[in-house]
Amino acid sequence: MKVVVIGNGMVGYKFCEKLVAKFEPGTYSLTVFGEEPRPAYDRVHLSEFFSGKSADDLLMAPANWYADNNIILHTSDPVKEINREQKTILSHKGLTVEYDYLVLATGSAAFVPPIPGVDKQGVFLYRTIEDLEMMTAHASKAKRGAVIGGGLLGLEAAKAMIDLGVTDTHVIEFAPRLMPRQIDDSGSKILQSKLETLGLTIFTNKNTSCITGDESITGMQFSDGTSIDVDMLVISAGIKPRDELAKAAGLETGPRGGIVVNEKMQTTDETIFAIGECALFNGMIYGLVAPGYEMADVVVATLSAAEKAFAGFDMSTKLKLIGVDVASFGDPFVPAADCRTVVFEDTMKGVYKRINISTDGKYLLGGVLIGDAAAYNMLLQTTKNKVALPENPEDILLGSRGGDAPQGAGVAGLPADAVICSCEGITKGAICSAVEAGNETLDSIKKCTKAATCCGGCAPMVKDIITYTLKSQGKYIRNVVCEHFNYSRQELYYLIKIKKIKSYDDVLDELGHGDGCEVCKPVVASILASLWNEMILVKGNDTAQDSNDRYLANIQKGGTYSVVPRIPGGEITPEKLIVIGEVAKKYNLYTKITGGQRIDLFGAHVSDLPAIWEELIAAGFESGHAYGKALRTVKSCVGSTWCRFGLHDSVSFAIQIEERYRGLRAPHKIKSAVSGCIRECAEAQSKDFGIIATERGWNLYVGGNGGSKPQHAILLAADLDSETCIKYIDRFLMFYIKTADPLTRTATWLNKLEGGMDYLRNVVINDSLGINAELEAEMQSLVDNYKCEWKEVVDNPELRKRFNHFVNAPEEKDPSIQFEMMRDQKKAAGW
Amino acid sequence: MSSTTTLTEVHWFFACKTDDVPLNGGVCVKYKEEQIALFHFSRREEWYATQNMCPHKHQMALSRGMIGTQNGEPKVACPFHKKTFSLEDGRCLSDEAECSLKTYPVKVEENRVYIGFYGGFDKLSLTTV
């Protein structure tokens, strides 16, 4: 079988790849003609050429791939003529090659509108690597640029101009809005305002009447009489299929271009096929890579006498335009009469989401996402597979709010034939079988199925399917810390404990590999602190701490720090209040009462921190650990000492609790409160552990938090005496510290804990695991080892030295720090 | 973006002593009106220098960031929002759309650390032509 391919673009290449994979070597000959000097390259990621990728990086396969697979590739040699009677083609360089089957993958060319002056210097197309090279050469002299065309490619071209240093760039769109074919009016408006904040000037409803200048472009005039000065212009006003060769050979073409094909991609000559952007199927040109690949697959199937037909293709797309997510899926423009729509719009953040739902509320028909397209894959699959929507369809856009309703069925609800990777046409079933065959990581799935190797948009969903498949096989899913540690946090905690390791570097040497990162460093540093409670800035552990822990203060906007001294239970003497005021005045700090009944001092230079601490310590203060994943504060109401309703002395108990657990490091911050009666003025039920006085003692609640997902704490035990209450807290906190994943608050930990509150109660109260004596002893050793970290820095000249901004000018402060005044105090200057 | 820039002599600026820099960490060096983040990746016995300003929110903070590797490539994470940047070529590893950092050569001689500056140009503008 002799096969000739005309065109060596992405689709032409993909055809070769699929043919080579399908047929035994020696059963065919394959000859490819390409007009560009390079073998096929990745046109989708063309703009990465400007962010440092070389032309070779973009190649679909290296030049020797063709020879290695016995493919004869002629580059820089366009085909001139097809002779259908003789079944030969004639190339520009004069080669005549015979074929049994001919595949036209001639692609498309940029559509250049007939505007006077398009031939001037400084006017470019955005299509090939050569176009990009010419743009690069010209851009070094250009100051103001413009792009004709506010579609997908036009906006890509605008980004390319910015990358080339032409920061004053205009986008000129004929239609009333940007990306008119993909997104709706409101979505376009959000996209436009977002792009304008990034520095682009955007004109819509603008028709260019002529390009001015002598030899080189100097400006553009528009039909509304306005004009702008530009010295560089890129035209990206659409594409036209390359059908001239087919037309000359007498094959049927469409009135507006395109080679007419049937469902087997055959042209009006059944031995000649057309695929990709030159093919016209059912009156439609498919200008995306994924359908082109599907067409290539259909032709290979047909050649191998298999039954496969092209049945149109979903044109959903997701991309990042100059950092802004843009996606449309299914039918984004269903007429209002045929659907119900749910729209979410946040003009502050530049987010717009619209979904179209069938009138019976059962199915998703399509939609548009701007600014945040995280839900794209799930929404696309829900649309394509007609997955039934939840009772409140808006939940799939906004998440479930209140109630216990699950957020849709996730990947589990998709049928096996759901296409997950539309570029390569890989189904959920294929990925599941690959996982079952032992390919359990994203990398190995990529290698064996090719899923997620083209645009990569489906990668998160592929990961979900891997996890889902492993789980359904009953495999244990470990949440490993990062690429340097193949252990979960819980496993690391036990291993470090058994091996008695005390420094991050030793942990990495003994239990990990490589050189660490910002994920595993704070996790290990926190485990070390939870186990041994040693000073966190010694033994080389300083640089393994998260930045706030490393400086024992909270970094704030502008690069200054805030300082929170511990005020246990929120009780403070007038003398100490005066000291805080004096320190704040001396170091020019902004003061504010925190939500945790403490006082925060903002705007401290890093080099002032030790001196500030020294003065606070001299007055009897210590670190409040506001910077750490540690116990923060134990709030209290005034309790029985003053309050006429108070049952017990909540302030004294809060102080006792706060001083017991101060400095305790954990997977996340821990907050607490004690209320003196059921009126709950200290809001103890919104805390990781909260205590409320009863007639007969204390009620202990655990697993609450405020924050973005508020959750009330649940009653662990009722009517406890103080000693038992503390014992239960010891056990609860140690059990949490030992078993939680990194950065997981107690509420989330408890939600995920199998068996939930009943299980926890069994462990903490009934000692079902037989570990309570151990938990209590571990907590007691942490309590006994407590020292104030600030004091250790203040007293240690070596540690103090690290608190300078400039290593080579220790007396100088960061000159870039700026403040503004507001209500008689300073505030950080804006970002 | 022209390729005609001639390579001028590297000017080596004395930054500090080796033990002024914490192991596997960074410090900020003042060079004229500029702030340079200098890192001692002691696990790998490597030194790196980049601009101190994180391009994301223009904060002078990178010298206080954690360093580490991603697939073997050394990187630094900004303390503010944890954007990560390659210490080798300065490109942002966590967000393709983010700007790159300037990087500078470093040499160590007899426990003295020097950062290299090209007369009027930095390394980045020379290597991307």
Side-chain angles (χ1 to χ4, degrees):
Chain A
M1 174 176 75
K2 285 176 283 195
V3 182
V4 172
V5 181
I6 304 179
N8 189 222
M10 294 177 79
V11 172
Y13 161 79
K14 192 52 86 175
F15 170 79
C16 297
E17 188 189 282
K18 286 180 187 281
L19 188 83
V20 167
K22 188 86 179 180
F23 288 85
E24 289 294 320
T27 61
Y28 62 92
S29 77
L30 182 53
T31 310
V32 181
F33 287 88
E35 69 176 359
E36 289 187 56
R38 290 182 184 80
Y41 54 86
D42 183 352
R43 224 182 283 274
V44 174
H45 294 106
L46 198 57
S47 57
E48 288 177 20
F49 186 69
F50 294 118
S51 36
K53 285 216 173 172
S54 71
D56 280 352
D57 291 336
L58 291 175
L59 288 184
M60 301 292 291
N64 60 359
W65 178 86
Y66 298 87
D68 291 349
N69 287 288
N70 292 316
I71 299 168
I72 302 163
L73 172 66
H74 300 285
T75 50
S76 300
D77 195 5
V79 168
K80 253 171 48 179
E81 203 180 295
I82 301 168
N83 185 330
R84 287 168 56 195
E85 270 166 30
Q86 311 253 328
K87 289 197 157 198
T88 57
I89 62 94
L90 173 64
S91 84
H92 178 74
K93 289 183 182 163
L95 290 169
T96 302
V97 180
E98 289 180 13
Y99 66 82
D100 296 322
Y101 297 101
L102 180 63
V103 178
L104 301 175
T106 45
S108 63
F111 165 70
V112 181
I115 303 168
V118 288
D119 52 347
K120 291 196 196 306
Q121 284 177 22
V123 181
F124 303 92
L125 300 176
Y126 191 74
R127 193 80 194 141
T128 65
I129 287 187
E130 282 70 34
D131 291 334
L132 268 56
E133 283 172 340
M134 289 189 287
M135 277 171 69
T136 309
H138 185 85
S140 60
K141 296 171 288 183
K143 290 192 181 64
R144 282 161 62 91
V147 175
I148 295 184
L152 209 146
L153 259 183
L155 294 176
E156 283 268 346
K159 166 163 170 47
M161 295 255 258
I162 293 175
D163 285 348
L164 286 173
V166 186
T167 45
D168 187 4
T169 290
H170 302 70
V171 174
I172 291 135
E173 170 59 47
F174 179 68
R177 63 170 192 263
L178 294 177
M179 299 187 69
R181 300 212 291 180
Q182 285 89 4
I183 58 181
D184 64 356
D185 211 28
S186 312
S188 265
K189 277 200 191 102
I190 290 268
L191 176 65
Q192 178 167 349
S193 63
K194 192 106 193 190
L195 294 176
E196 280 167 347
T197 62
L198 295 168
L200 286 177
T201 309
I202 293 165
F203 296 131
T204 52
N205 274 325
K206 269 280 190 226
N207 188 10
T208 310
S209 55
C210 84
I211 295 162
T212 52
D214 295 332
E215 276 190 6
S216 296
I217 175 170
T218 56
M220 300 165 67
Q221 284 178 4
F222 304 108
S223 54
D224 59 7
T226 57
S227 63
I228 56 172
D229 293 337
V230 289
D231 45 17
M232 180 166 178
L233 172 67
V234 175
I235 296 179
S236 182
I239 57 168
K240 56 169 197 238
R242 296 278 299 270
D243 59 3
E244 60 276 9
L245 202 54
K247 206 182 254 177
L251 301 173
E252 186 186 346
T253 55
R256 278 182 296 162
I259 306 163
V260 175
V261 292
N262 62 16
E263 74 287 349
K264 289 184 181 311
M265 312 317 298
Q266 284 163 320
T267 63
T268 38
D269 177 335
E270 61 176 25
T271 62
I272 302 180
F273 299 84
I275 56 177
E277 288 184 332
C278 65
L280 184 69
F281 176 76
N282 266 349
M284 178 153 172
I285 297 285
Y286 288 81
L288 290 176
V289 162
Y293 285 4
E294 173 70 8
M295 292 177 187
D297 204 53
V298 170
V299 177
V300 171
T302 306
L303 294 181
S304 64
E307 277 300 320
K308 177 155 186 172
F310 186 76
F313 205 86
D314 184 77
M315 294 297 276
S316 303
T317 41
K318 176 190 156 191
L319 66 157
K320 220 180 180 88
L321 280 171
I322 325 186
V324 184
D325 275 344
V326 179
S328 76
F329 58 93
D331 186 346
F333 307 118
V334 187
D338 301 336
C339 77
R340 301 192 308 178
T341 59
V342 177
V343 171
F344 171 84
E345 186 170 354
D346 179 345
T347 52
M348 276 284 288
K349 290 191 180 137
V351 174
Y352 173 81
K353 300 178 184 183
R354 163 185 169 165
I355 52 173
N356 305 321
I357 297 164
S358 60
T359 43
D360 57 7
K362 282 191 182 145
Y363 303 108
L364 191 56
L365 303 174
V368 176
L369 304 169
I370 311 287
D372 170 16
Y376 169 76
N377 277 319
M378 206 59 233
L379 293 175
L380 173 60
Q381 293 296 343
T382 306
T383 308
K384 284 210 284 201
N385 296 293
K386 291 207 178 301
V387 176
L389 289 174
E391 197 181 339
N392 301 313
E394 71 274 18
D395 284 358
I396 60 165
L397 200 59
L398 305 171
S400 173
R401 290 142 300 122
D404 295 330
Q407 285 192 21
V411 289
L414 297 175
D417 58 0
V419 176
I420 304 298
C421 173
S422 48
C423 298
E424 295 285 346
I426 312 296
T427 61
K428 174 185 159 190
I431 297 168
C432 291
S433 346
V435 176
E436 281 156 14
N439 301 288
E440 298 180 355
T441 64
L442 180 61
D443 274 347
S444 58
I445 288 291
K446 277 182 171 177
K447 263 184 208 133
C448 76
T449 66
K450 285 192 159 254
T453 53
C454 184
C455 75
C458 61
M461 190 163 258
V462 173
K463 272 196 209 156
D464 284 350
I465 292 174
I466 297 172
T467 309
Y468 151 80
T469 314
L470 289 174
K471 261 198 187 147
S472 61
Q473 287 176 296
K475 287 204 180 169
Y476 172 46
I477 312 290
R478 289 187 319 159
N479 222 346
V480 300
V481 171
C482 69
E483 65 175 80
H484 305 102
F485 288 97
N486 199 19
Y487 296 110
S488 67
R489 181 186 174 277
Q490 186 176 353
E491 290 167 326
L492 262 184
Y493 179 96
Y494 280 104
L495 289 167
I496 295 170
K497 185 181 175 196
I498 291 162
K499 290 174 175 277
K500 297 195 168 53
I501 315 176
K502 304 279 177 83
S503 78
Y504 172 78
D505 258 16
D506 290 344
V507 174
L508 188 52
D509 286 341
E510 289 203 35
L511 302 171
H513 43 84
D515 301 310
C517 68
E518 76 282 2
V519 176
C520 59
K521 282 183 170 183
V523 171
V524 171
S526 158
I527 292 173
L528 290 170
S530 291
L531 277 172
W532 319 119
N533 208 6
E534 294 184 320
M535 168 63 189
I536 63 169
L537 302 184
V538 299
K539 299 191 174 167
N541 290 336
D542 53 341
T543 50
Q545 306 293 340
D546 231 326
S547 174
N548 285 351
D549 268 319
R550 186 174 163 196
Y551 290 94
L552 307 179
N554 298 53
I555 195 166
Q556 305 289 1
K557 220 167 165 181
T560 60
Y561 288 85
S562 64
V563 175
V564 184
R566 186 167 298 291
I567 302 178
E571 183 186 82
I572 188 164
T573 61
E575 289 73 23
K576 280 185 151 180
L577 270 177
I578 289 168
V579 171
I580 289 184
E582 282 171 345
V583 168
K585 267 162 92 178
K586 179 167 172 187
Y587 294 94
N588 185 22
L589 306 174
Y590 165 88
T591 53
K592 187 177 188 306
I593 311 286
T594 72
Q597 302 184 340
R598 318 205 274 186
I599 298 170
D600 204 341
L601 311 169
F602 288 82
H605 289 274
V606 67
S607 50
D608 286 341
L609 288 173
I612 292 171
W613 299 334
E614 195 164 15
E615 296 196 22
L616 289 171
I617 288 167
F621 287 104
E622 60 181 358
S623 164
H625 296 94
Y627 45 81
K629 305 300 178 210
L631 179 86
R632 295 282 172 86
T633 163
V634 181
K635 268 172 78 169
S636 70
C637 70
V638 75
S640 59
T641 49
W642 291 93
C643 176
R644 66 187 194 281
F645 298 113
L647 295 170
H648 305 311
D649 181 357
S650 49
V651 179
S652 296
F653 199 41
I655 293 173
Q656 188 187 347
I657 303 265
E658 181 157 348
E659 292 190 334
R660 179 168 181 80
Y661 302 115
R662 64 190 164 183
L664 177 71
R665 284 196 154 73
H668 212 307
K669 63 184 170 190
I670 304 172
K671 296 181 174 184
S672 178
V674 181
S675 278
C677 78
I678 196 61
R679 286 168 191 77
E680 243 282 67
C681 297
E683 300 168 331
Q685 291 168 95
S686 67
K687 302 301 181 188
D688 294 277
F689 63 99
I691 300 159
I692 302 175
T694 68
E695 298 280 351
R696 280 165 293 182
W698 306 103
N699 278 356
L700 174 60
Y701 295 79
V702 298
N705 63 208
S708 60
K709 275 192 185 160
Q711 184 168 327
H712 273 144
I714 307 171
L715 184 68
L716 179 73
D719 298 327
L720 305 170
D721 59 62
S722 300
E723 200 185 331
T724 311
C725 187
I726 287 177
K727 208 180 264 182
Y728 285 179
I729 299 169
D730 277 5
R731 296 172 185 174
F732 161 72
L733 287 177
M734 269 330 289
F735 188 50
Y736 159 68
I737 288 171
K738 293 175 94 150
T739 58
D741 278 335
L743 301 178
T744 307
R745 290 284 296 267
T746 56
T748 316
W749 168 76
L750 189 54
N751 294 346
K752 282 204 258 176
L753 190 69
E754 266 182 53
M757 193 59 196
D758 291 337
Y759 179 79
L760 180 68
R761 205 174 278 130
N762 234 345
V763 172
V764 170
I765 300 175
N766 304 327
D767 202 7
S768 61
L769 298 178
I771 55 170
N772 282 349
E774 189 189 335
L775 295 177
E776 284 170 39
E778 284 166 341
M779 182 59 86
Q780 193 56 47
S781 115
L782 294 179
V783 171
D784 294 342
N785 270 349
Y786 168 79
K787 284 187 192 131
C788 173
E789 295 162 345
W790 287 354
K791 188 161 182 342
E792 293 188 64
V793 170
V794 166
D795 295 342
N796 181 332
E798 271 308 299
L799 290 178
R800 258 187 114 130
K801 209 177 89 177
R802 301 287 187 216
F803 289 80
N804 285 320
H805 184 68
F806 291 116
V807 68
N808 56 340
E811 66 291 345
E812 284 184 42
K813 294 186 167 138
D814 179 356
S816 72
I817 290 175
Q818 285 176 342
F819 300 110
E820 293 163 3
M821 289 306 286
M822 183 189 251
R823 290 186 296 276
D824 300 328
Q825 290 204 77
K826 69 178 183 182
K827 72 176 183 90
W831 287 124
Chain B
M1 283 288 169
S2 97
S3 55
T4 54
T5 314
T6 45
L7 251 173
T8 51
E9 194 72 3
V10 179
H11 158 60
W12 290 103
F13 174 75
F14 168 63
C16 59
K17 301 274 192 56
T18 48
D19 58 7
D20 289 332
V21 186
L23 298 180
N24 295 304
V27 291
C28 176
V29 175
K30 183 179 160 86
Y31 169 70
K32 295 180 183 169
E33 294 313 307
E34 283 182 66
Q35 299 192 19
I36 312 294
L38 172 67
F39 301 98
H40 184 194
F41 208 146
S42 47
R43 260 193 90 81
R44 298 164 62 95
E45 293 184 12
E46 289 165 352
W47 289 82
Y48 294 98
T50 69
Q51 66 188 55
N52 191 35
M53 189 185 74
C54 177
H56 174 222
K57 291 287 180 185
H58 296 237
Q59 300 288 300
M60 289 293 184
L62 291 172
S63 60
R64 299 178 201 168
M66 278 183 276
I67 59 174
T69 57
Q70 178 174 320
N71 299 319
E73 182 170 13
K75 61 170 179 173
V76 59
C78 175
F80 276 89
H81 304 94
K82 291 276 155 65
K83 293 226 176 197
T84 56
F85 298 89
S86 164
L87 288 172
E88 279 172 351
D89 59 16
R91 75 185 192 290
C92 186
L93 300 173
S94 48
D95 180 357
E96 279 177 33
E98 190 52 78
C99 298
S100 292
L101 304 180
K102 285 191 225 171
T103 59
Y104 304 87
V106 181
K107 73 171 179 183
V108 178
E109 280 172 6
E110 293 171 353
N111 295 325
R112 292 165 67 84
V113 189
Y114 299 85
I115 301 174
F117 297 90
Y118 296 90
F121 299 92
D122 51 64
K123 186 182 156 199
L124 186 85
S125 65
L126 290 168
T127 50
T128 55
V129 292

